[in-house]
Amino acid sequence: MISKEERAAELYEVIRACRLCALAETRTHAVPGEGPLDAEVMCIGEAPGLNEDRQGRPFVGAAGQFLTELLAEAGLRRDEVYICNVLKCRPPGNRDPLPGEIAACAEYLDLQIDLVDPLVIVTLGRFSMARWFPQQTISRIHGKPKVVDGRYIVPMYHPAAALHQGALRQVLVEDFRNLRGVIARARRGEFQDAGAPAAVSAAPEPREAPGPGPGTRADGPAASPTAVAAPEQQGRTSDARRPAEARRPDREAPAPEEPRQISFFDQDL
Ligand code: URA
């Protein structure tokens, strides 16, 4: 059976070669994401910035430094968290992602979530928040966990927002401190909302929501949605630390597996 590592390697290779939208013309490196494939916590940012584009790694600039500090507030080391972005390529000038670009990248993120299958997803900023909370504003729901598809989704301000608006720094610190408790609940198999507003599980059409974002935005290519086929979701059958299916009653139990290949290579990428 194809291993998680092999799936990830294949996915990263596809992302690095992706030409589904015009950001492929301007990027230096695509930035698939990084972190352990059995991470309990996944952080999803917006898009690579200048440093990430140069290095091909997520959150390596000032916002990344602050993210590392915030994770420590939650009792996490950066290297135990899976970190990725809504967009895998840098929008020129760090402008906001365009709807077509988000659509083009959406299935890559779906595949990463399926692969890592985290207990807790932390969205960083409004673009990753909009995937689960399309009608919400970050100022209303930041820090409030919501159970979606058997895991916690926790919307947070983007760390870069605090670099521009000092007052948000303490808000982020508090929210990440509270994340400790959310992770502890998830580890105990307790998945209960703490009064957050309704969420959806389908990927929404992105919306213009007020809130912090790195952008100064202008141009942008149209993109067609990807047709990358999603592999079957893998359950955490081998993870003795976290018998996930037992702890997530609303998730599908893992199917008895046939060996299966990812079908990326059918695609005209
Ligand atoms: N901002 C993001 O949203 N992602 C990164 O990787 C870096 C900065």
Side-chain angles (χ1 to χ4, degrees), residues 45-49 52 58-59 85 158:
E46 176 178 319
E52 292 77 17
F59 282 96
N85 284 300
H158 196 290

Side-chain angles (χ1 to χ4, degrees), residues 23-266:
L23 294 181
E25 308 299 329
T26 51
R27 73 177 177 227
T28 310
H29 294 108
V31 182
E34 66 185 21
L37 300 177
D38 62 350
E40 293 176 320
V41 177
M42 174 184 271
C43 288
I44 306 175
E46 176 178 319
L50 180 66
N51 294 300
E52 292 77 17
D53 176 70
R54 284 183 178 154
Q55 295 186 38
R57 295 182 53 215
F59 282 96
V60 290
Q65 172 61 40
F66 185 37
L67 177 61
T68 302
E69 292 171 30
L70 290 168
L71 290 171
E73 297 288 348
L76 297 164
R77 292 188 324 272
R78 179 185 162 119
D79 66 8
E80 62 186 330
V81 174
Y82 190 90
I83 300 175
C84 60
N85 284 300
V86 171
L87 293 193
K88 309 309 183 195
C89 296
R90 181 188 184 217
N94 291 355
R95 62 162 172 75
D96 282 351
L98 298 172
E101 294 161 357
I102 295 172
C105 258
E107 290 210 50
Y108 295 144
L109 188 52
D110 289 343
L111 290 164
Q112 288 173 303
I113 294 169
D114 281 354
L115 194 60
V116 177
D117 192 18
L119 296 174
V120 178
I121 291 177
V122 176
T123 64
L124 302 170
R126 59 196 165 103
F127 287 95
S128 53
M129 176 190 77
R131 184 182 173 99
W132 287 276
F133 306 98
Q135 304 304 324
Q136 290 294 340
T137 54
I138 188 83
S139 57
R140 276 196 64 205
I141 67 167
H142 68 88
K144 294 182 182 162
K146 173 85 187 166
V147 178
V148 183
D149 296 336
R151 71 177 110 245
Y152 281 112
I153 312 294
V154 190
M156 302 283 198
Y157 281 106
H158 196 290
L163 303 178
H164 302 116
Q165 276 181 270
L168 288 179
R169 189 178 179 92
Q170 199 52 32
V171 174
L172 267 161
V173 167
E174 291 298 323
D175 285 347
F176 271 80
R177 277 187 192 147
N178 293 334
L179 182 62
R180 242 179 224 262
V182 177
I183 296 167
R185 288 209 296 281
R187 284 178 179 153
R188 291 195 299 270
E190 295 168 18
F191 289 93
Q192 253 182 356
D193 287 347
V200 294
S201 50
E205 193 60 25
R207 60 189 282 274
E208 285 304 310
T216 52
R217 313 288 170 158
D219 61 326
S224 56
T226 69
V228 176
E232 278 186 358
Q233 178 149 337
Q234 290 193 325
R236 281 203 176 107
T237 49
S238 60
D239 188 347
R241 206 161 38 99
R242 282 175 277 142
E245 276 59 46
R247 294 174 178 202
R248 297 189 207 172
D250 55 335
R251 304 208 80 182
E252 275 180 32
E257 292 275 348
E258 286 290 305
R260 201 162 262 272
Q261 297 293 324
I262 299 178
S263 51
F264 294 128
F265 302 111
D266 301 336

Side-chain angles (χ1 to χ4, degrees), residues 1-22:
M1 187 166 87
I2 186 165
S3 69
K4 274 193 174 201
E5 287 69 25
E6 288 167 318
R7 272 178 196 265
E10 190 172 7
L11 177 58
Y12 296 170
E13 202 177 301
V14 172
I15 291 172
R16 289 193 182 105
C18 179
R19 308 205 65 81
L20 285 172
C21 81

